[in-house]
């Protein structure tokens, strides 16, 4: 079971790039790394997933170093609507455990 | 999200009564999960299912049971509700083994209050 560690909270301003790093020292060979976003009163929403190196989609990038013991979610040019809790997950079915996540607050 | 619905959305019940929450999916996904979310604890896995009639316990399964008689439905039952089970309950589905190449899709949640 790969436990994850993320910062509890982060503040940013509109238009800035935000990087949230997650540590997962015990990640297994077959584990993928997935990030989710959650707004108040809603279920988490899938953002991005990767196994190694870099993955980019229309909303974010995910950077994974060669040792895979950490990963960084990068949100380019954040807006007020990006204020949410962000979760990093690794593991297999049945062992998918959410940590406390990172509460990102974007200020005007 | 489209393809997964939870019912009811809100429920208030009395201590000691049985309660059943329903999760329904139209995606034909193999895996279904029940999580609860409480302040200070994030989301915690209660039970999950990897196929019809195939279920297993998560990290906080005490006081809960589940059933999956059809691919599309996953039921969570609180046999005798307690105040400690007041929470927001989320159902999730995924198509593959865990999240390997597949993300989870979550429902909108059920807010349960036990008085």
């Amino acid at each position: 079971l790969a436990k994850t560690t993320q910062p509890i909270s982060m503040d940013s301003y509109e238009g800035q790039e935000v990087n949230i790093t997650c540590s997962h020292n015990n990640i297994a060979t077959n584990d993928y790394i997935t990030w989710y976003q959650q707004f108040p009163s809603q279920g988490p929403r899938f953002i991005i997933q990767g196994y190694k190196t870099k993955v980019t989609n229309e909303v974010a990038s995910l950077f994974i170093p060669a040792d895979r013991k950490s990963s960084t979610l990068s949100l380019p040019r954040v807006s007020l609507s990006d204020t949410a809790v962000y979760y990093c997950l690794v593991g297999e079915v049945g062992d998918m455990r959410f940590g406390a996540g990172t509460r990102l607050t974007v200020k005007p | 999200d489209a393809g997964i619905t939870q019912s009811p959305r809100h429920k208030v019940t009395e201590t000691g009564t049985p309660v059943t929450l329903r999760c329904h999916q139209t995606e034909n996904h193999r895996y279904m999960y029940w999580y609860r979310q409480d302040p200070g604890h994030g989301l915690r896995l209660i039970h999950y299912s990897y196929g019809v009639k195939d279920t297993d316990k998560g990290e906080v399964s005490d006081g809960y049971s589940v059933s999956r008689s059809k691919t599309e439905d996953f039921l969570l039952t609180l046999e005798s509700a307690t105040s400690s089970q007041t929470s927001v309950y989320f159902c999730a589905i995924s198509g593959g083994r865990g999240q390997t190449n597949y993300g989870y899709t979550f429902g909108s949640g059920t807010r349960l209050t036990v008085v």
Side-chain angles (χ1 to χ4, degrees):
Chain A
L1 175 61
K3 180 179 178 180
T4 61
T5 303
Q6 306 173 232
I8 295 297
S9 65
M10 295 181 67
D11 290 342
S12 182
Y13 291 92
E14 284 188 292
Q16 290 188 332
E17 178 184 73
V18 171
N19 296 309
I20 306 174
T21 296
C22 178
S23 297
H24 28 80
N25 292 319
N26 297 321
I27 188 169
T29 302
N30 295 329
D31 286 343
Y32 277 64
I33 300 157
T34 312
W35 286 79
Y36 291 83
Q37 175 191 57
Q38 186 179 26
F39 298 112
S41 301
Q42 296 184 24
R45 182 174 70 101
F46 174 89
I47 302 175
I48 195 166
Q49 183 179 73
Y51 183 78
K52 62 180 179 180
T53 64
K54 177 184 175 181
V55 179
T56 298
N57 62 21
E58 63 276 10
V59 298
S61 295
L62 180 58
F63 299 91
I64 305 169
D67 66 6
R68 302 199 332 120
K69 294 184 182 298
S70 67
S71 59
T72 299
L73 173 72
S74 181
L75 304 172
R77 298 179 299 281
V78 293
S79 65
L80 296 176
S81 62
D82 291 316
T83 293
V85 178
Y86 293 83
Y87 297 96
C88 159
L89 269 73
V90 298
E92 296 185 5
V93 63
D95 275 340
M96 296 311 308
R97 302 192 181 194
F98 285 76
T102 298
R103 184 174 299 278
L104 173 66
T105 302
V106 180
K107 302 176 182 178
Chain B
D1 273 32
I4 178 171
T5 56
Q6 293 183 231
S7 59
R9 291 298 310 278
H10 303 273
K11 186 171 181 64
V12 179
T13 192
E14 293 186 351
T15 299
T17 61
V19 177
T20 296
L21 308 183
R22 180 181 184 235
C23 179
H24 179 77
Q25 61 144 331
T26 58
E27 304 296 321
N28 200 35
H29 281 343
R30 179 181 176 188
Y31 291 86
M32 299 186 74
Y33 313 83
W34 276 107
Y35 286 88
R36 63 177 287 177
Q37 186 168 37
D38 306 289
H41 289 281
L43 287 117
R44 293 181 290 176
L45 181 64
I46 305 172
H47 281 280
Y48 69 99
S49 169
Y50 47 96
V52 174
K53 298 185 179 180
D54 291 323
T55 65
D56 207 347
K57 297 178 179 180
E59 60 183 314
V60 290
S61 59
D62 287 349
Y64 301 95
S65 62
V66 290
S67 66
R68 191 164 177 204
S69 58
K70 299 183 292 185
T71 298
E72 57 267 34
D73 290 326
F74 192 33
L75 304 181
L76 176 70
T77 298
L78 290 65
E79 300 293 345
S80 178
T82 68
S83 58
S84 65
Q85 293 176 312
T86 292
S87 186
V88 179
Y89 292 85
F90 287 102
C91 176
I93 60 176
S94 71
R97 174 172 172 76
Q99 60 176 6
T100 303
N101 286 332
Y102 299 91
Y104 287 176
T105 300
F106 282 82
S108 299
T110 295
R111 183 172 296 275
L112 176 67
T113 302
V114 183
V115 297

